[in-house]
Amino acid sequence: SIAGPNHHGVLIAGGGSLSNAASGSISALGAGVLFENQPGTLTNAGFITGTGTDGTGIYLENGGNATNTSTGTITGNKFGAFLEGGFSTLVNQGSISGATYDGVVLGLGGTVTNAAGASISGANGGVYVKYRAAATVTNSGSISASGTGSAGIDLADGGSVTNNSTGSVSGN
């Protein structure tokens, strides 16, 4: 168990990788896990959370790859997973949620794959891809947003969405 009482649970400033086991728990007021300056690779089978006002479960500042396995949970008070600054790939087989903003944000395009039985949820958006690059979202699970005027998936710069037969996408 790792707890960052003031800032981040785990900060990796020079790129690299992190694996959080099914029995692992990482929490902080800021980002549960922050990859800063360089792309990172994250595999989560446990629990990662950012609990503060701006809390984010995982934040990859310059993109990279994140995999949340079927036993994994990533939550943030603001964002669940925020992948910024470069083409990013997110594979979710578990649960990712952002309580007050978005479940998943891609800042510079990439791909999101949400497996059967998996869920991504947020208040403003389930999956939000910023206006700077297109993205591809493939859904076989549940992607949802609960706030007024919200979107399950918002591709601000275009791209493609494939919602398979087991998938559901909803907004409000």
Side-chain angles (χ1 to χ4, degrees):
S1 177
I2 297 172
N6 295 316
H7 298 290
H8 310 299
V10 175
L11 169 65
I12 300 176
S17 64
L18 173 72
S19 181
N20 189 38
S23 60
S25 175
I26 302 171
S27 64
L29 287 177
V33 174
L34 170 62
F35 284 91
E36 189 177 58
N37 302 322
Q38 298 292 322
T41 299
L42 171 77
T43 301
N44 179 51
F47 181 72
I48 300 174
T49 187
T51 60
T53 302
D54 292 327
T56 299
I58 63 169
Y59 182 26
L60 280 65
E61 184 181 75
N62 281 298
N65 301 297
T67 300
N68 192 41
T69 71
S70 62
T71 58
T73 299
I74 298 171
T75 67
N77 188 50
K78 196 168 195 177
F79 301 106
F82 202 107
L83 291 78
E84 181 81 72
F87 185 91
S88 300
T89 301
L90 176 81
V91 175
N92 181 43
Q93 300 165 332
S95 172
I96 300 175
S97 62
T100 59
Y101 280 83
D102 304 313
V104 171
V105 176
L106 292 184
L108 202 55
T111 63
V112 174
T113 303
N114 195 45
S119 66
I120 297 173
S121 62
N124 289 344
V127 174
Y128 172 56
V129 181
K130 289 184 165 185
Y131 57 87
R132 299 180 294 186
T136 300
V137 178
T138 303
N139 182 46
S140 298
S142 171
I143 298 176
S144 63
S146 58
T148 301
S150 63
I153 300 171
D154 182 351
L155 302 179
D157 200 35
S160 66
V161 174
T162 301
N163 193 45
N164 292 315
S165 62
T166 58
S168 68
V169 177
S170 64
N172 190 2

